[in-house]
Amino acid sequence: MKKPLPSLPFHDVRHLQAHQFLVDEAYLLDAQQYEAWLETLTDDVRYVMPVRVTTARGAGSDASAGRGPGMAHFDEDKYSLSQRVARMGTEHAWAEDPPSRLRHFVTNVRTFECDDGAHLLVESAELLFRSRGDVNESALLSCGREDLLRWCGGPEKTLKLARRNIIADESVLRMQNLAVFL
């Protein structure tokens, strides 16, 4: 989806609502309240993190947008996300046993109105700090996110995540695994 310019002003109520959504989402993920987080997603959500491809400028691949030749670290829907959440509650979630200590820092939030009035396009930057067990090494993951938020519900409409495209700022991830949500 092409972003209309300019972004909404920071004092616009829609920008404030989108920013509040991202802050509340970061809290749920930090607190590992994954069942509650699933409730913030639309039933047709698409959650994608393409593999970052680095190429020369004239090679034809859009490395700056992270759109490589169809590979992704994950490309998920609500069903697969709910299966990952369900697995975290079992003894089979070895990648998250012991659970990671997480902190999602969300910044540089820009909001764009969409033509249909039912969606907002939101860009943000995220820095994830992750620490596991008693080891000294922690991990950082920096990324840009492009979200499509949808107004859902009756008269008291709430925003839900309909699409997230995550573009890592490095092509080789140094994190041991991606068993967490961005």
Side-chain angles (χ1 to χ4, degrees), residues 17-29:
Q17 291 167 322
H19 197 169
Q20 183 72 49
F21 174 89
L22 296 178
V23 169
D24 290 344
E25 179 194 37
Y27 169 79
L28 291 174
L29 294 174

Side-chain angles (χ1 to χ4, degrees), residues 21-30 37 47-49 74 102-109 122-129 139-147 164-170 175 178 180-182:
F21 174 89
L22 296 178
V23 169
D24 290 344
E25 179 194 37
Y27 169 79
L28 291 174
L29 294 174
D30 289 346
W37 175 70
Y47 189 83
V48 181
M49 184 177 179
F74 42 78
L102 305 169
R103 185 74 56 211
H104 292 75
F105 297 92
V106 179
T107 187
N108 298 0
V109 178
V122 184
E123 289 181 344
S124 63
E126 181 180 47
L127 180 65
L128 173 68
F129 171 85
L140 293 174
L141 180 75
S142 174
C143 62
R145 302 185 308 183
E146 184 179 271
D147 295 338
R164 173 161 289 158
N165 194 40
I166 303 160
I167 306 300
D169 291 329
E170 51 192 351
M175 192 170 282
L178 281 175
V180 296
F181 301 103
L182 301 167

Side-chain angles (χ1 to χ4, degrees), residues 7-21 108-112 120 122-123 159:
S7 61
L8 295 174
F10 289 168
H11 65 273
D12 187 293
V13 68
R14 294 165 297 173
H15 172 78
L16 295 171
Q17 291 167 322
H19 197 169
Q20 183 72 49
F21 174 89
N108 298 0
V109 178
R110 293 176 10 127
T111 307
F112 303 87
L120 291 172
V122 184
E123 289 181 344
L159 285 172

